[in-house]
Amino acid sequence: MGIYDRNKGRPGKPANYWISFVDAHGKQHFEKVGPDRREAERLYRQRKRAVADGTWAPPAALAAAGTTVAMYAEGWIKRRFEDGKKGYEGAVGLKLD
């Protein structure tokens, strides 16, 4: 667990920092931070603190909480109609029914 530069040893490539930490269930998580090491250190400390406090939850779990594929598709179709595009509801409906 820690902070890693994924481009280290690659000539001509800028730094690309990632953090790695373990959640309360023992599962390892990786998160891309970017080129700033100080930002990576800050985010790593923040994630470790949140896991220790029990307030951290994986982003995928937050986004997917209570959302089904059908619910997502309906929202996607509505957004497409707002953009003036039509004809998607038939194709999506065939796959979801």
Side-chain angles (χ1 to χ4, degrees):
M1 299 348 91
I3 302 167
Y4 306 96
D5 180 1
R6 298 285 297 263
N7 286 338
K8 187 175 184 179
R10 296 170 123 183
K13 294 279 187 174
N16 186 15
Y17 290 102
W18 286 68
I19 61 171
S20 169
F21 58 96
V22 177
D23 67 12
H25 303 288
K27 182 173 181 194
Q28 188 173 11
H29 296 272
F30 297 91
E31 192 170 338
K32 182 178 179 180
V33 180
D36 187 3
R37 180 163 179 91
R38 286 186 180 171
E39 177 67 17
E41 291 169 351
R42 184 196 64 76
L43 187 60
Y44 178 66
R45 285 191 305 271
Q46 182 182 357
R47 293 292 185 258
K48 281 181 60 174
R49 190 176 315 114
V51 168
D53 294 343
T55 59
W56 185 81
L62 294 175
T67 303
T68 65
V69 173
M71 291 167 55
Y72 178 83
E74 288 173 13
W76 183 77
I77 291 168
K78 287 178 185 174
R79 287 191 304 276
R80 288 296 179 179
F81 277 116
E82 290 171 2
D83 293 341
K85 299 175 183 171
K86 300 193 185 320
Y88 293 103
E89 71 280 353
V92 173
L94 291 175
K95 302 294 182 192
L96 296 176
D97 291 334

